[in-house]
Amino acid sequence: VALPAGFDPRDVIARKRDGQDVPAGDLRAFVLGYAAGDVPDYVAAAFLMAAFVNGLSGAETAELTRAMVDSGETLPLAGIDRPKIDKHSTGGVSDGVTLVFAPLAAELGLAVAKLSGRGLGHTGGTLDKLESIPGLRTDLAPEELERQVELVGCAVAGQSKDLVPADGALYSLRDATATVASVPLIAASVMSKKLAVGSDLILLDVKAGSGAFMKTPEHAAELARSCVELASYWGRRARAAVTDMSQPLGTAIGNALEVAEAVRLLKGEARGRLRELSVAFATEALTEVGGVEREVARSKAERALDSGEAAERFRRMIEAQGGDPRVVDDPDGILPRARVRRDVHGEGPGVLVTVDAEALGRAAASLGAGRARKGDAIDPAVGIEFLPKVGAGGGGDERIAVVHARDDPSAEAAAGQVLAALTMGQDAVQVPPLVFGWYGSEVHEGPGGPDERR
Ligand code: URA
């Protein structure tokens, strides 16, 4: 795709730099031009920074989203007759909900075709986690994705040259240029992936707290509203929960470690906030599109985990994507393991009052679990198991973390970062709620919606 005659991408940057709105056609030409390789990285990076600093209007956010969707094919999934659910998190630390939710929802009779992302900034990415399973592929072609959902009930793939390529390109550029934590850029990125795939319900997990891009529930609510508004513009149904990310959601931070934790949860062997949130999303899905009463939906979800059936569904999903299914039987034996393991002990009395979850995410990324530069390889084996929860544990000389590292110096550095991320105290601690609230969309089709504005 050549850029339109007379179009100069620098004009788009200049407008945003000066706080003006970018005309819809120019924004579209810019995004499609970038996806096609006709706008270079450094030009797109300058635009992202201008958008980060000066924001995007609702109309610009909608246009950006539309151009990203239109940069590739769409996948209506018209042939799937089960209720279709999509789910996405805005990014967190030890946020393995998708790994648990996708097979769980499939086990409950729903269909999940999900486009996930890679690690971004200090947050982990589902694709990187899944790819720690030997052999597993996430570059599914659109027809493969659809076929797998038909056969297995769930598939988790990456955006690709076919599906939302503009998000793939912009996502890694944002990661490399400190332009991630922006409401319109996250909303467009998340929703472009959700709008490109047909679904009856889009569930959004909008994270709030130290480990999220949005540090307060109020800021996260703004992102939730923006995502839900985009869905409703497109005539799509969405429900967004603002959920706690003031501490790691599970215990594992790092790719293979998070898969191993998900396997334990799917087999009903572990409890905690990661299980609770996965069950909450499955309950929401089954209630909203399955017509099942909330308490019945919840107990069905709990049962699918405790019986091990959800784990069997995960096995089928892994196998369908070319991965080694024995990971479900023996995660520690099949997944890559780091050479060095180092225990970290607490340094004094009290209880954990706050934890800088972003710092923990960064510590895991510096061990090799995340990327410093676009396209960097990651190390699937490294990471941190962080054991205490806010209001419970962390004091005395109890073991608070296990660092999994490639070598002793990096293990030592990460151990220091873990200890520096904690605030201990003696007083009673207010444990944050798991879910701050849900935002639901009314679907507004008709005049004013995107198709009419085209
Ligand atoms: N997840 C996404 O898909 N995109 C973002 O920008 C942030 C989180």
Side-chain angles (χ1 to χ4, degrees), residues 68 88-92 114-118 120 123-124 167 170-171 174 179-194 213 223:
M68 287 163 73
H88 206 89
S89 159
T90 58
K114 173 160 164 45
L115 295 188
S116 282
R118 300 201 173 274
L120 197 56
T123 68
D167 180 55
L170 288 170
Y171 192 91
R174 285 168 57 219
T179 50
V180 174
S182 144
V183 166
L185 295 180
I186 297 179
S189 164
V190 167
M191 294 311 289
S192 63
K193 289 188 284 278
K194 305 300 97 179
F213 294 118
L223 176 55

Side-chain angles (χ1 to χ4, degrees), residues 3-12 22 25-31 33 39:
L3 295 174
F7 172 73
D8 186 337
R10 287 174 298 185
D11 296 339
V12 172
V22 180
D26 289 358
L27 190 50
R28 181 176 180 84
F30 190 94
V31 172
V39 171

